Amino acid sequence: MPSQSFLMLATALLSSVLVSPVAGQLYTDCNPLNATCPADPALGTAHTFYFNATPPDGTFNMTAGTVDYSFDQGAAFTINKKGESPTLISNFYFFFGRTEVLLKAASGTGIISSIVWSSDVLDEVDWEFIGGNATHASTNYFGKGQPDFHNAGYHPVKGGVQDDYHNYTCVWTKDKLEWYIDSENIRTLLPQDANKTLNYPQTPMKLSLGIWAGGDPDQPKGTIEWAGGVTDYSRPYTMYVKSARVEDFSTGKEYSYGDHSGTWESIKVATGNSTAYENINKQPEKSLSEKWNELPSSTKAGIYAAAGGVGALLFIALAVYYIKQRRRGKQEAALLAQRQEQERVELERFKKEGRNPDALTFDGAEYDAKTGMATTTYAMDSPPGSSAGPPEKAWDPTGSGASGAAMPLLRDDAMSPRLANPGPAYTGSPRNNSFSPTQSQGPGIPPQFPAPTPSSPVNRSFSPSNAPGRMGSPGAQGGGYGVSRMNSPGPNRGPGSPGSPNGGYGGYGGAR
């Protein structure tokens, strides 16, 4: 017996004794055979879904894992760990129709790649690819969820199912169901061959694309044996789908069941555009380049002209700014050159005069804090150590090592205008605990007065230059000479005014 015939016989035997797990994986939220169920949203059109990007919104749901999309390989359905079975399930139904899926199956023991149609009454049409079999594809069908395990077929695929993409197509009408691999028909099912039409798939279907582990240790023993053995989760397993074209042979908005028979004659079609149709044909947001290309030529010309005008204004503004900056820079450079020339001329003058331009020059009198004396006044621009300038160490705030002819701040020599005419000395007691300051000296009497004690602080106030002081004039008889005092009465004193011992006002009363 040829090896191919033996293989076909073996697979037929296997399909007759093992349970296909897909039937066990399917479920329905509401079965119209038993209840009145909501209408199913229709596709109502034909569309090719390219999986180099996420499908249009509202067309597919993803369950039990993640799907990655790439330009080169399309959608990648990967099992990375136990419990994952990433699947895309359409949100729409088609009532008789056609699907073409460009798929590359995953390898791996117990791994099942699949293309499944399913209805609310559990009619089903399958493509299945067992990871341990790299050369064959499996086809199957079920009607009303009945577990008829003699329906599977195994078909060789040129080039294998795991190394490259192949086109797996189903065409479905009320008269027949056909399976194609790369446009070659490999199987046809007639209604009368499916339990006299009872198990013939004939109700609105939705499309599922996914991968799952039939060899999971938690699966039934028969399922694990059908899948080829126990799955090893130590590595990932990936199925790839580049595209899926779906064509609904009916047109309408939704499909509903008119009774509980589950026959195609009971299906009612509502007219109108379906939600899937609107989502598929929704215009995507246009790019800027597309919007630009749609503008009339006159509008483009106007935009070009406006842009050119704005560019010209900007250029002029930049040119004006540049010119102003250049002028400002020239002015600053000229001022800098002028200052540098002034400094050069001044430096030359200092050099000719023999002065050090870095030496400190000043004008005023040096003060000695220790002696309370002022030194000789120096002229401006006289370098220290010169004949007209201060000595090298002219001022020491501590008073140590001070040099020069010291001069008291309050002079007591003949140069003092307040001592030019000395008055008589006052020998009495201090008045109001105060002492008079130095007075104009009277003829022949030196100034004498007691020094203030620490407990009696001196409160001196000198008369201004226009005060009515008397220089060299005799004072009151017997009272000596004095100066006028603020807050002091004249010769006829008033009540409460103290008198002098000789009946007059004498002493030296400074302004208080």
Side-chain angles (χ1 to χ4, degrees):
M1 180 182 293
S3 60
Q4 184 174 356
S5 300
F6 177 78
L7 179 61
M8 292 297 294
L9 179 61
T11 55
L13 179 62
L14 181 66
S15 65
S16 66
V17 297
L18 295 182
V19 177
S20 174
V22 176
Q25 296 291 319
L26 299 180
Y27 70 95
T28 180
D29 293 330
C30 181
N31 193 327
L33 297 178
N34 306 317
T36 301
C37 301
D40 296 326
L43 174 61
T45 187
H47 184 73
T48 301
F49 297 92
Y50 294 99
F51 295 114
N52 55 2
T54 304
D57 291 340
T59 56
F60 283 88
N61 284 331
M62 183 177 65
T63 63
T66 59
V67 177
D68 299 320
Y69 302 91
S70 67
F71 182 81
D72 294 331
Q73 300 189 85
F77 301 75
T78 302
I79 294 177
N80 290 295
K81 60 184 179 180
K82 179 181 175 63
E84 292 185 337
S85 56
T87 305
L88 286 178
I89 304 175
S90 70
N91 287 331
F92 54 81
Y93 289 74
F94 52 96
F95 181 38
F96 300 122
R98 174 190 182 99
T99 65
E100 298 182 29
V101 179
L102 198 60
L103 178 145
K104 181 168 68 173
S107 62
T109 301
I111 299 299
I112 308 299
S113 303
S114 62
I115 305 168
V116 178
W117 297 357
S118 62
S119 76
D120 292 346
V121 298
L122 299 180
D123 284 345
E124 182 178 336
V125 177
D126 301 330
W127 287 92
E128 293 169 315
F129 309 87
I130 300 174
N133 187 342
T135 60
H136 284 70
S138 172
T139 61
N140 209 341
Y141 72 92
F142 296 89
K144 312 298 185 291
Q146 296 299 315
D148 188 346
F149 309 123
H150 302 277
N151 299 336
Y154 292 84
H155 316 279
V157 178
K158 295 178 182 178
V161 297
Q162 299 173 0
D163 295 331
D164 202 355
Y165 293 86
H166 294 276
N167 186 317
Y168 301 98
T169 300
C170 279
V171 180
W172 171 48
T173 67
K174 63 181 181 61
D175 299 320
K176 62 181 177 179
L177 174 60
E178 300 173 302
W179 287 263
Y180 293 82
I181 297 177
D182 295 331
S183 301
E184 179 183 353
N185 178 260
I186 50 93
R187 184 178 181 182
T188 300
L189 174 67
L190 300 177
Q192 59 269 25
D193 296 332
N195 194 17
K196 298 181 180 180
T197 72
L198 182 62
N199 292 344
Y200 182 76
Q202 55 191 288
T203 52
M205 302 280 194
K206 59 185 176 182
L207 173 66
S208 299
L209 306 171
I211 182 175
W212 58 285
D216 187 275
D218 294 337
Q219 292 284 3
K221 181 179 179 181
T223 301
I224 294 175
E225 292 177 352
W226 169 84
V230 177
T231 299
D232 178 9
Y233 289 106
S234 64
R235 71 175 185 89
Y237 305 97
T238 304
M239 175 191 80
Y240 297 95
V241 178
K242 277 193 173 182
S243 64
R245 178 171 178 80
V246 185
E247 183 177 356
D248 190 351
F249 286 171
S250 300
T251 58
K253 182 179 181 180
E254 57 188 18
Y255 305 119
S256 59
Y257 291 79
D259 55 34
H260 304 298
S261 64
T263 63
W264 66 268
E265 293 92 348
S266 68
I267 304 301
K268 297 180 178 180
V269 180
T271 59
N273 291 332
S274 68
T275 302
Y277 177 87
E278 293 175 352
N279 290 334
I280 291 170
N281 292 281
K282 183 186 300 182
Q283 291 295 326
E285 182 68 21
K286 293 181 180 179
S287 64
L288 291 177
S289 61
E290 291 173 337
K291 293 179 180 179
W292 172 258
N293 292 332
E294 292 178 356
L295 292 176
S297 300
S298 58
T299 303
K300 292 181 181 179
I303 294 175
Y304 284 135
V310 172
L313 291 176
L314 181 60
F315 176 79
I316 293 172
L318 291 175
V320 171
Y321 175 78
Y322 175 74
I323 292 172
K324 287 184 177 181
Q325 288 296 103
R326 281 184 60 86
R327 289 178 179 175
R328 182 178 179 181
K330 288 181 179 180
Q331 292 175 355
E332 292 178 352
L335 291 175
L336 177 60
Q338 183 179 1
R339 287 196 298 268
Q340 291 176 344
E341 179 63 18
Q342 291 175 351
E343 292 176 358
R344 186 190 66 77
V345 172
E346 186 177 12
L347 181 62
E348 291 293 332
R349 180 170 62 84
F350 285 159
K351 289 182 179 180
K352 289 180 180 180
E353 295 176 358
R355 292 185 295 173
N356 183 3
D358 296 328
L360 175 66
T361 59
F362 56 91
D363 185 16
E366 293 288 347
Y367 173 73
D368 190 335
K370 182 176 182 180
T371 61
M373 307 297 289
T375 61
T376 306
T377 301
Y378 304 107
M380 177 68 82
D381 293 342
S382 297
S386 63
S387 59
E392 293 295 337
K393 190 176 182 183
W395 179 42
D396 185 354
T398 64
S400 61
S403 61
M407 179 176 60
L409 296 180
L410 300 177
R411 303 175 65 133
D412 57 359
D413 55 12
M415 295 175 63
S416 174
R418 298 182 61 84
L419 298 180
N421 297 309
Y426 177 71
T427 60
S429 62
R431 188 182 300 272
N432 293 331
N433 293 326
S434 64
F435 292 87
S436 300
T438 304
Q439 307 293 322
S440 300
Q441 187 176 357
I445 303 176
Q448 296 181 3
F449 58 89
T453 63
S455 61
S456 301
V458 178
N459 183 16
R460 297 176 179 176
S461 176
F462 297 98
S463 301
S465 59
N466 59 354
R470 292 179 294 177
M471 305 280 294
S473 300
Q477 297 295 326
Y481 298 92
V483 296
S484 61
R485 297 181 299 164
M486 297 178 63
N487 300 325
S488 299
N492 297 322
R493 65 180 185 269
S497 299
S500 67
N502 297 322
Y505 292 89
Y508 302 90
R512 294 192 289 266

